[in-house]
Amino acid sequence: MIEAKLARLSDAQPGERFRIATLNIEGTMKRRLLDLGFVPGSEITVLQKSPLGDPTAYRVSHTTIALRKEESDHIYGERIDNE
Amino acid sequence: MNKREYTIALAGNPNTGKSTLFNVLTGLRQHTGNWPGKTVIHAEGFFTYKNEEYRIIDLPGTYSLYSNSADEEVARDFIIFGKPDVTLVVLDATALERNLNLALQVLEMTDRVIVCLNLMDEAKKKGMVIDIDNLSKKLGVPVVPLAARNKEGIEELLETIARMVHGKIQTKPIVVSYSRAIEEKIAKLLPLVKEVVGEEYPARWVALRLLDGDTSLLHALQHQPHHLLKGGPNYACHCSAKSI
C-alpha cells in the first residue's frame, strides 16, 4: 500500500501546501475531483476550514474549491514544507 | 422573409465572463428571457449580424460536462441534442490550465467550436503572453482573444462566427488519445455505436461515455424525441464497460 506512506489531504492544515499523488477512489466522484483540478501532481493550498471543521476550502489551480472530508479523505499525497 | 436563424451555444467554466459576453452580444436588442429549463435557469437571447439572425443560449457555467450535476447535464444535452451551429467555449485566459479541460471535452463532442480567450486584459495585467496562433493550431479550431467587458475582440468574434456558420472555416479538433487499453475498447465499440446512433451523434464520444458507464447519457439518448435509435435490442445498455 503506497497510501500508507502518504498523507490524506483531509489531514493537511490551513496554510499548508499539499502535492497530490493519487486519488484512491473510482467512478463519478473521481471524475468530479479531477475536473475540479484535483489531479495527481498538482499543488493544493489549504485555505481554511469552515467553523464546524468541515468542509475545507482549497486553492487549486487558481480557484477556490471546498471539499467535504468524505471527499478529501480519498486524496493522497505529501505535505510540502513551507520554506 | 424566411431567413435561417443560427443557434450559438455559450459554454465555459464559472466566472469566465460568459454572461458578460452574452450581454455584450445580445446588447440592447435582446429579447432575453430567463426561465427554468429542467432545474437550471438558462438564458436565451438574440442578435443580428450582417442581416442574419442568431439565437444564443447561455449554458450553465461548469468545469466539466460529465453530468455530475444538473448544470452539467443541461449543458451537455444542449450541445449534443440541441446541435448548435456554433459552440463558443469561453476560457479564462489567466487560468488556461484549468479551463482547457472543458474545451477539450467540448471538442470531443462537436467540431463546430470557437474558443474565446476572455479576460485578456487581466492576463495582460499579470504579464501573461499567450501564443494565440499556436493554441489555435493545437486545438484545431479558431481561438479569438477577448476582453468582453471592454467590448474588445467582439467584432472579430462575430466575423468568425459568421464564417463558421457559412462553412468557411474548416476545423480539425484535437483528438485526445487515451491509454492503449481504452483505445482498443473504443475501436471495438465504434462500429456498434455507429450502427445504433448513425451520424446523429459523435460516435467516439458516445463510445467513451459508454466506457465510463455513463447511465445518464443513455437515459437522455433514449428519451430524445428525434433520436435515431433503431428498434430492437438496445446495444448501448449492454455495453457497460466497468471492466476497465
Side-chain angles (χ1 to χ4, degrees), chain B residues 71-198:
Chain B
D71 286 32
E72 296 185 5
E73 217 165 289
V74 165
R76 177 203 69 188
D77 286 358
F78 190 81
I79 294 172
I80 286 296
F81 303 124
K83 296 185 183 300
D85 293 291
V86 176
T87 299
L88 302 180
V89 182
V90 186
L91 307 186
D92 175 350
T94 70
L96 281 185
E97 181 191 341
R98 153 175 297 285
N99 280 251
L100 281 169
N101 178 40
L102 181 72
L104 291 175
Q105 291 183 17
V106 175
L107 287 171
E108 281 188 326
M109 298 162 78
T110 164
D111 57 359
R112 312 190 67 157
V113 175
I114 298 171
V115 168
C116 302
L117 270 190
N118 197 26
L119 301 172
M120 284 301 287
D121 46 340
E122 284 294 320
K124 204 175 277 175
K125 251 187 249 167
K126 291 187 177 174
M128 301 169 90
V129 179
I130 298 167
D131 186 342
I132 307 269
D133 291 339
N134 198 13
L135 183 61
S136 170
K137 212 178 284 171
K138 288 210 162 138
L139 294 176
V141 297
V143 175
V144 180
L146 292 176
R149 65 184 157 208
N150 306 330
K151 302 196 166 66
E152 285 167 36
I154 300 300
E155 189 62 30
E156 189 194 341
L157 175 61
L158 288 169
E159 192 53 41
T160 311
I161 291 172
R163 283 163 47 85
M164 187 168 273
V165 299
H166 289 116
K168 288 181 186 151
I169 295 179
Q170 292 303 314
T171 63
K172 204 175 175 298
I174 185 172
V175 177
V176 178
S177 44
Y178 296 89
S179 68
R180 226 181 91 196
I182 293 178
E183 288 294 341
E184 280 168 5
K185 290 205 164 67
I186 295 171
K188 229 183 249 179
L189 277 173
L190 267 182
L192 293 168
V193 171
K194 281 188 179 148
E195 196 179 310
V196 176
V197 303

Side-chain angles (χ1 to χ4, degrees), chain A residues 31-32 35-36 60-61 63, chain B residues 64 66 72 98 101 105:
Chain A
R31 178 77 230 185
R32 180 107 191 111
D35 282 327
L36 290 172
V60 44
S61 62
T63 307
Chain B
S64 167
Y66 289 122
E72 296 185 5
R98 153 175 297 285
N101 178 40
Q105 291 183 17

Side-chain angles (χ1 to χ4, degrees), chain A residues 26-29 31-39 42 60-65, chain B residues 63-69 72 94-98 101 105 126 209 212 242 244:
Chain A
E26 288 302 325
T28 51
M29 181 49 77
R31 178 77 230 185
R32 180 107 191 111
L33 290 171
L34 292 171
D35 282 327
L36 290 172
F38 294 92
V39 286
S42 70
V60 44
S61 62
H62 307 285
T63 307
T64 304
I65 305 271
Chain B
Y63 292 112
S64 167
L65 293 171
Y66 289 122
S67 67
N68 296 305
S69 68
E72 296 185 5
T94 70
L96 281 185
E97 181 191 341
R98 153 175 297 285
N101 178 40
Q105 291 183 17
K126 291 187 177 174
R209 297 287 70 72
D212 253 352
K242 286 279 190 193
I244 47 166

